[in-house]
Amino acid sequence: MTSTSSTSTYSALSSYGWDENWADAFAPHAAEGLLPGRVVRVDRGQCDVVTADGLVRTDTAFVTPNDPLRVVCTGDWVAVDPDGGNPRYVRTYLPRRTAFVRSTSSKRSEGQILAANVDHAIVAVSLAVELDLARIERFLALAWESGAQPVVVLTKADLVPDPVTLAYLVQDVETAAPGVPVLSVSAEQGEGLDVLAAVVSGGTAVLLGQSGAGKSTLANALLGEDAMDVQATRDVDGKGRHTTTTRNLLALPGGGVLIDTPGLRGVGLFDAGSGVDQVFAEIAELAEECRFHDCAHESEPGCAVLAAIDSGALPERRLESYRKLMRENQRIVAKTDARVRAEIRKEYKRRGAIGKAAMEAKRGGLR
């Protein structure tokens, strides 16, 4: 790619996140005459790619491996055939900076990549229904694991007119999301949108949440147009039909790009141990003060985590949620890692021995 064409490409794609680092990574493919572009939508073996020449429809036959984590997805930077190919193919994609991955809904130990090269993971949570803090923690674990900075957005804030009540709800979420910005937003009234727009203007953001969380309404508010269809939600549970059926990458007028995703019913962890630790940072910090380095925080003497529960410094709900997510993540990892399976079996035997010893001690005391 000549200097002139490089400048033209940078100018045309900069609003989609193209920078000098991506240009350097693409250089070998440019030498082969391929064009850079960013995937804005994937659908049934084909994808729409925005290039310096505009939006092109391409075939992904050359980048469809057996590994579901290596398929092309929305947000990828790719190398495509130059003009004239029929069809035009995606030949490869550049190494991802970040990747948002969840486990598939099947019983197989596979991951599904939802979005690539994301800077901010926007977790949309509706205030039209009761807060589900455990689900928020689950989303945040995946977000931290992806390498993106999570942000929780409490949508439909106009449904909570009392500012004191709203402040308490924000505080509850902040407790469940240490180190994560929590914003209350009303897309209908425009409240809080300026703060959110400033957050997402500096890169790529992915919009996540259940159906009915108000993601499409939020996307339209950020875009300043009705680009996404909006469906009514059920009054009984605040859920709606899947308005968005594919993952779409959209350039924002104030800078940055937004990837809107379908509502997620299931949010399974996929090798997200470090993400779970980050969501429950206070538990990880307390664990360092436990008497035993392999403390399970259940009944061990000198457990700083249990001491924090007893004193009220740590809510018991947080510990239960932490245990649940860690167990789930271990099961997923164990399906493909023999060493982890062996460690789990060893832990089960250890706990069994402790339980047996406790029962024997109890029987001895009754004699």
Side-chain angles (χ1 to χ4, degrees):
M1 187 181 297
T2 65
S3 176
T4 301
S5 59
S6 295
T7 302
S8 174
T9 297
Y10 186 92
S11 176
L13 296 179
S14 61
S15 60
Y16 287 90
W18 184 258
D19 57 29
E20 292 182 1
N21 291 329
W22 287 121
D24 291 341
F26 190 82
H29 308 298
E32 298 174 359
L34 299 175
L35 299 178
R38 194 166 195 190
V39 177
V40 299
R41 186 172 181 267
V42 179
D43 182 30
R44 299 178 183 177
Q46 294 190 319
C47 62
D48 294 330
V49 179
V50 62
T51 71
D53 297 335
L55 191 67
V56 299
R57 186 73 167 166
T58 62
D59 195 298
T60 64
F62 290 105
V63 282
T64 309
N66 292 328
D67 184 351
L69 296 182
R70 297 177 58 202
V71 299
V72 167
C73 77
T74 304
D76 272 325
W77 286 100
V78 296
V80 303
D81 289 334
D83 190 18
N86 187 22
R88 293 170 74 164
Y89 288 98
V90 172
R91 297 295 172 173
T92 188
Y93 63 82
L94 300 184
R96 293 160 176 159
R97 294 178 183 174
T98 61
F100 194 96
V101 179
R102 68 165 178 174
S103 66
T104 59
S105 57
S106 68
K107 296 181 180 179
R108 295 176 294 178
S109 56
E110 293 181 348
Q112 177 191 18
I113 181 164
L114 298 180
N117 302 311
V118 172
D119 300 296
H120 291 95
I122 310 298
V123 180
V125 180
S126 173
L127 289 176
V129 293
E130 184 177 354
L131 288 177
D132 186 343
L133 297 179
R135 177 171 288 273
I136 294 173
E137 289 162 345
R138 179 179 292 271
F139 270 109
L140 293 177
L142 293 177
W144 281 123
E145 191 69 31
S146 75
Q149 165 67 53
V151 179
V152 177
V153 174
L154 303 180
T155 65
K156 308 180 184 182
D158 52 289
L159 299 180
V160 187
D162 179 23
V164 175
T165 301
L166 181 59
Y168 277 124
L169 291 172
V170 171
Q171 186 177 20
D172 285 344
V173 176
E174 288 176 337
T175 300
V180 176
V182 179
L183 309 176
S184 60
V185 170
S186 170
E188 293 291 340
Q189 298 183 0
E191 295 176 358
L193 287 174
D194 53 343
V195 178
L196 180 58
V199 170
V200 301
S201 66
T204 298
V206 61
L207 193 53
L208 306 158
Q210 290 182 284
S211 56
K215 297 189 307 300
S216 294
T217 300
L218 196 59
N220 286 336
L222 290 171
L223 288 162
E225 58 180 282
D226 292 337
M228 312 303 296
D229 290 333
V230 176
Q231 301 281 1
T233 58
R234 299 192 300 246
D235 291 336
V236 65
D237 56 9
K239 294 181 180 179
R241 288 178 293 175
H242 290 302
T243 300
T244 305
T245 57
T246 58
R247 292 178 286 279
N248 303 287
L249 185 147
L250 308 158
L252 298 173
V257 293
L258 181 70
I259 299 176
D260 191 20
T261 65
L264 300 175
R265 289 193 180 93
V267 195
L269 301 185
F270 186 80
D271 196 4
S274 63
V276 174
D277 281 340
Q278 199 148 359
V279 173
F280 300 91
E282 78 276 35
I283 294 179
E285 186 176 342
L286 286 167
E288 295 179 359
E289 302 175 12
C290 291
R291 181 182 301 177
F292 304 107
H293 75 278
D294 59 347
C295 183
H297 320 309
E298 293 184 347
S299 59
E300 296 86 349
C303 175
V305 175
L306 294 180
I309 294 288
D310 291 339
S311 69
L314 177 67
E316 189 169 358
R317 188 206 65 79
R318 286 281 285 171
L319 180 57
E320 288 302 316
S321 184
Y322 170 76
R323 286 170 173 164
K324 181 179 180 180
L325 292 182
M326 288 299 287
R327 284 195 299 266
E328 177 184 328
N329 192 67
Q330 271 194 325
R331 287 196 297 269
I332 290 293
V333 175
K335 290 181 180 180
T336 56
D337 192 322
R339 179 184 60 81
V340 174
R341 286 198 298 272
E343 289 178 354
I344 291 175
R345 284 195 296 269
K346 182 179 178 181
E347 178 63 15
Y348 284 160
K349 290 180 180 179
R350 184 184 76 86
R351 294 182 186 180
I354 292 175
K356 183 179 180 180
M359 287 299 295
E360 289 178 350
K362 184 177 180 178
R363 290 186 186 127
L366 293 174
R367 290 175 185 170

